[in-house]
Amino acid sequence: MKYKHQEKFTSLLLAWHKKHNDRTMPWKGEKDPYKIWLSEIILQQTRVEQGTAYYLKFISTYPTIFDLAKAKDENVFKLWEGLGYYNRCKNLLITARKIVQDYAGIFPNNYQELLQLKGIGEYTAAAIASFAFNKPYAVVDGNVHRVLARFFGINTAIDTTEGKKLFASLTNQVLDKKNAALYNQAIMDFGATICKPFLAQCQQCKLQLYCKAYQTGQVSQLPIKEKKLVQKKRWFNYFVFTYNNKVLVHKRTQKDIWQNLYEFYYVETNHQVQWQAATLKMFLDELGIQHYKHLHISANYQQQLTHQQIKAQFIQVALTAIPLTLKKYTWQQVKTLHHLAKPKIILQFLEQESIKTS
């Protein structure tokens, strides 16, 4: 299906990019596939404002893919700390090592080969192929969906099978195939600065005259999504067990949130537990803890993930001996705890409250 003003859309967008787009980012205009890949992985589920600092840290610490490939996992995860979605970091290491081992450190310039690499989906593959090699692949993300849905007045939901096919076809039709890198940068920046999700800058828009959503008053209604995001709510009760200036920590290895990060001993419940002296004693008895000093119960902390809302409370307990049930865990010096990569919710706790050991 061909829409009215398709050619006009592309020419106006590129004209805006050339004359008016003053958005600056450290990776903009970059041709090194390593740096493009790194920026794209960091920016998945992360705002540009937050991701920029991480990108600069990574480039400074690991200037080449060879540096990243030979880095220790713990060091890379520590550098990633606070970005969330740690599976991205895990895949980053897997792919870096594969490219060094199987491709002699040179990124493949073939879109299909890029798709085979861990953590690289259609969007990232298109970004690398177009920005590094100027291959004719269109990037498709929320910015692109929004700009196209509004300009062409598309009421088909973007998350339906029909919608996915429609937008996939349209993005390919409006792509300037000879200047793919230029076009992709233009539409992403246009969606981020002019055709924004809320408070779109329609009065400054150079495409306004031909924009269907603007003409019909549908700017705030488009694009349409059919499915509602269901938030899962979880409650973590963290026990900060200390003994002789050491604190119990363990590494999350299960296939769940925060894989490979360190945390305190915890119990997950369906609701908030009212931790009073009696309930605390009952729980500690189950662990074989007879002698202890209850130090402090924290206020509630919260971390919002895309599909989950995590709430947590921290109960500090100083032990006079380590029971058998807890001997298998790692006991880290409190003063060196900052070396370990931890979930954001634990970082929030440590920033606001100190660990008491006596």
Side-chain angles (χ1 to χ4, degrees):
M1 178 179 177
K2 190 166 183 177
Y3 285 86
K4 190 178 180 181
H5 302 312
Q6 279 186 198
E7 293 80 6
K8 185 66 73 173
F9 170 81
T10 306
S11 62
L12 286 173
L13 180 67
L14 291 175
W16 168 83
H17 179 64
K18 183 178 181 180
K19 297 176 184 177
H20 305 285
N21 185 10
D22 56 0
R23 191 185 190 207
T24 58
M25 295 173 291
W27 51 83
K28 195 169 178 177
E30 183 61 64
K31 294 299 180 184
D32 182 348
Y34 167 65
K35 293 179 180 178
I36 294 167
W37 166 68
L38 193 58
S39 69
E40 291 298 338
I41 299 301
I42 288 173
L43 291 177
Q44 290 172 7
Q45 309 290 343
T46 302
R47 292 177 295 104
V48 168
E49 294 77 15
Q50 182 190 16
T52 298
Y54 282 89
Y55 170 81
L56 294 173
K57 281 194 299 182
F58 264 87
I59 292 301
S60 174
T61 310
Y62 308 114
T64 70
I65 197 164
F66 295 98
D67 298 310
L68 180 59
K70 68 183 181 183
K72 291 182 180 179
D73 288 18
E74 295 295 333
N75 293 342
V76 179
F77 274 98
K78 182 62 183 175
L79 199 61
W80 190 273
E81 188 178 64
L83 266 180
Y85 302 92
Y86 283 82
N87 209 40
R88 290 184 292 166
C89 188
K90 182 181 176 182
N91 290 337
L92 196 75
L93 284 165
I94 292 171
T95 292
R97 288 161 185 165
K98 182 173 179 62
I99 289 175
V100 167
Q101 183 177 330
D102 297 350
Y103 294 90
I106 300 171
F107 268 81
N109 61 10
N110 182 284
Y111 176 80
Q112 294 302 329
E113 275 191 87
L114 288 167
L115 278 178
Q116 301 307 310
L117 298 171
K118 199 79 172 174
I120 294 185
E122 293 179 355
Y123 177 87
T124 305
I128 297 170
S130 64
F131 292 134
F133 309 112
N134 205 34
K135 294 290 184 75
Y137 290 95
V139 296
V140 184
D141 67 352
N143 279 329
V144 175
H145 281 140
R146 185 169 60 256
V147 172
L148 295 179
R150 288 175 176 173
F151 184 87
F152 294 106
I154 301 171
N155 288 287
T156 305
I158 61 176
D159 55 352
T160 60
T161 302
E162 182 187 358
K164 289 174 183 176
K165 288 180 180 177
L166 188 157
F167 280 96
S169 173
L170 181 56
T171 52
N172 188 56
Q173 290 177 54
V174 295
L175 171 69
D176 184 335
K177 294 179 174 59
K178 292 182 180 179
N179 300 289
L182 202 66
Y183 170 86
N184 282 333
Q185 191 66 63
I187 195 168
M188 287 194 297
D189 287 350
F190 187 78
T193 62
I194 302 296
C195 199
K196 300 192 288 188
F198 306 104
L199 301 176
Q201 306 297 299
C202 294
Q203 299 309 313
Q204 301 176 31
C205 179
K206 302 302 178 183
L207 282 67
Q208 181 205 96
L209 183 63
Y210 300 93
C211 177
K212 195 75 176 288
Y214 181 75
Q215 294 168 1
T216 58
Q218 282 188 292
V219 172
S220 60
Q221 280 81 50
L222 295 176
I224 292 172
K225 269 191 176 182
E226 192 175 75
K227 297 169 187 171
K228 299 282 185 182
L229 186 64
V230 179
Q231 291 282 349
K232 181 180 179 182
K233 296 183 179 180
R234 303 173 71 177
W235 191 279
F236 289 0
N237 302 275
Y238 279 114
F239 287 84
V240 187
F241 289 123
T242 56
Y243 175 73
N244 280 356
N245 295 314
K246 292 183 179 180
V247 59
L248 181 155
V249 293
H250 81 101
K251 192 175 185 179
R252 291 180 70 92
T253 55
Q254 67 272 40
K255 289 187 177 180
D256 192 6
I257 57 172
W258 305 332
Q259 193 176 33
N260 296 313
L261 300 193
Y262 285 87
E263 64 184 353
F264 304 119
Y265 187 96
Y266 82 102
V267 175
E268 184 172 351
T269 52
N270 295 325
H271 53 81
Q272 181 177 4
V273 176
Q274 300 301 319
W275 290 104
Q276 299 170 343
T279 51
L280 183 61
K281 184 178 184 305
M282 286 175 61
F283 174 76
L284 296 178
D285 281 347
E286 290 181 12
L287 291 175
I289 299 173
Q290 301 297 324
H291 305 289
Y292 60 90
K293 182 180 179 182
H294 165 229
L295 297 174
H296 181 63
I297 295 178
S298 76
N300 296 340
Y301 288 84
Q302 180 175 311
Q303 183 175 347
Q304 187 67 53
L305 307 179
T306 303
H307 298 90
Q308 300 186 36
Q309 182 186 70
I310 311 297
K311 291 188 177 182
Q313 203 165 19
F314 296 80
I315 302 99
Q316 296 201 45
V317 181
L319 305 177
T320 56
I322 300 176
L324 287 174
T325 53
L326 300 181
K327 283 188 180 293
K328 63 179 180 179
Y329 292 93
T330 301
W331 290 82
Q332 182 84 10
Q333 289 283 347
V334 171
K335 64 182 180 181
T336 62
L337 188 61
H338 64 279
H339 292 310
L340 302 179
K342 300 169 286 295
K344 185 178 179 180
I345 201 165
I346 290 181
L347 290 175
Q348 290 172 348
F349 163 72
L350 293 174
E351 285 172 1
Q352 296 191 33
E353 305 187 36
S354 59
I355 294 180
K356 303 173 179 64
T357 57
S358 61

